Amino acid sequence: MNSAWIHPDWPAPLAVRSISTTRLHGFSEPPYSSLNLGRRTGDDPDAVAHNHRYLVEAAGLPGDVVWLQQVHGTRVVAAHDAEPAPEADAVWTDRRSLPCGILTADCLPVLFCDRQGTRVAAAHAGWRGLAGGVLEATLDALAVPGKDVIAWLGPAIGPRCFEVGDEVRAAFLDMDRGATEAFRQGRPGHWYADLYQLATRRLQAHGVDHIHGGGFCTHTDRERFFSFRRDGETGRMGTVIWLE
């Protein structure tokens, strides 16, 4: 098993394949060392291109990944109809051999599939996307009942490190008063937010009960993960899903 990435531990159908990369075993130099997949990070473009080729070849992907220009919004695109690098924060497909991917370095990557193994999706969920409804928009695009969806929560900043202001907490509580349990009081006017718990609440409210993953912290695990909050200038990990 290649230690350059994480194989999601979830009961996805055999036709569904997925990986989440770490920062290990790539070709970028510090501060992007080493498997940086972010083309807009300031890294050497040749090194990033080499990293992308390595990912496709070493992970056995069926082709190039459909990546997005992520803007912390809620737009969802179909990979099979999308223009190159569309501006969106989630991507889905029902076509085989078409990898869908998103990039993160603290935000939460969420993978989706249906229980029949016919549709997959990947969403980029920072706090703005979560509050705005990117997960709900992705589920709507999949057009599968929530009870038939399986979700996996990938590496994100953990609840002991993700400090936010009153306005972030208010954005979630305005829509879900029960979300208060996902926030822990920090210094005055600041809170520690649990992205995993917030995402789980949003998914469950949309009928999704089969939720797996979580428990990572990109901020504290310096060896395996890039973290924008920790380092500022840094690379990006990729989370990819496809149908065989």
Side-chain angles (χ1 to χ4, degrees):
M1 184 176 295
N2 193 319
S3 61
W5 39 75
I6 294 163
H7 294 271
D9 183 12
W10 62 331
L14 291 177
V16 176
R17 302 293 302 278
S18 57
I19 59 169
S20 189
T21 71
T22 67
R23 67 183 302 167
L24 304 175
H25 303 320
F27 302 92
S28 294
E29 299 293 333
Y32 308 104
S33 53
S34 57
L35 188 57
N36 171 35
L37 298 172
R39 292 189 171 99
R40 297 189 292 170
T41 57
D43 194 3
D44 176 5
D46 290 337
V48 177
H50 199 172
N51 290 335
H52 278 268
R53 290 193 298 271
Y54 170 76
L55 171 63
V56 171
E57 294 168 4
L61 301 185
D64 291 335
V65 180
V66 177
W67 300 106
L68 310 173
Q69 291 190 53
Q70 299 164 192
V71 294
H72 298 275
T74 62
R75 184 185 179 215
V76 185
V77 296
H80 45 277
D81 293 330
E83 68 274 16
E87 188 174 283
D89 284 272
V91 56
W92 77 278
T93 193
D94 58 2
R95 310 290 172 84
R96 300 195 178 278
S97 303
L98 187 57
C100 301
I102 51 113
L103 300 173
T104 58
D106 282 336
C107 291
L108 175 65
V110 182
L111 297 181
F112 302 82
C113 69
D114 68 332
R115 298 178 71 176
Q116 290 71 43
T118 63
R119 293 176 176 232
V120 296
H124 163 244
W127 78 261
R128 288 182 181 84
L130 273 178
V134 68
L135 300 186
E136 294 90 334
T138 306
L139 289 166
D140 289 344
L142 281 175
V144 174
K147 64 182 179 62
D148 292 329
V149 172
I150 307 172
W152 182 76
L153 311 181
I157 189 169
R160 295 182 178 274
C161 299
F162 188 37
E163 188 179 31
V164 300
D166 284 333
E167 72 285 356
V168 174
R169 181 173 180 268
F172 285 96
L173 267 59
D174 283 348
M175 295 172 291
D176 174 15
R177 299 305 300 178
T180 184
E181 65 186 37
F183 293 88
R184 178 174 57 87
Q185 179 76 62
R187 56 196 171 96
H190 291 78
W191 305 81
Y192 289 97
D194 188 338
L195 284 176
Y196 293 119
Q197 191 171 3
L198 289 168
T200 296
R201 292 186 64 85
R202 302 301 287 265
L203 291 169
Q204 288 176 335
H206 219 65
V208 180
D209 292 320
H210 300 283
I211 304 168
H212 304 267
F216 303 96
C217 182
T218 50
H219 191 277
T220 56
D221 195 341
R222 183 181 298 270
E223 180 180 357
R224 285 200 299 170
F225 301 125
F226 297 114
S227 170
F228 183 79
R229 279 278 181 122
R230 183 188 65 223
D231 300 325
E233 188 178 10
T234 192
R236 300 292 186 273
M237 288 90 65
T239 301
V240 183
I241 190 167
W242 70 100
L243 291 168
E244 279 197 330

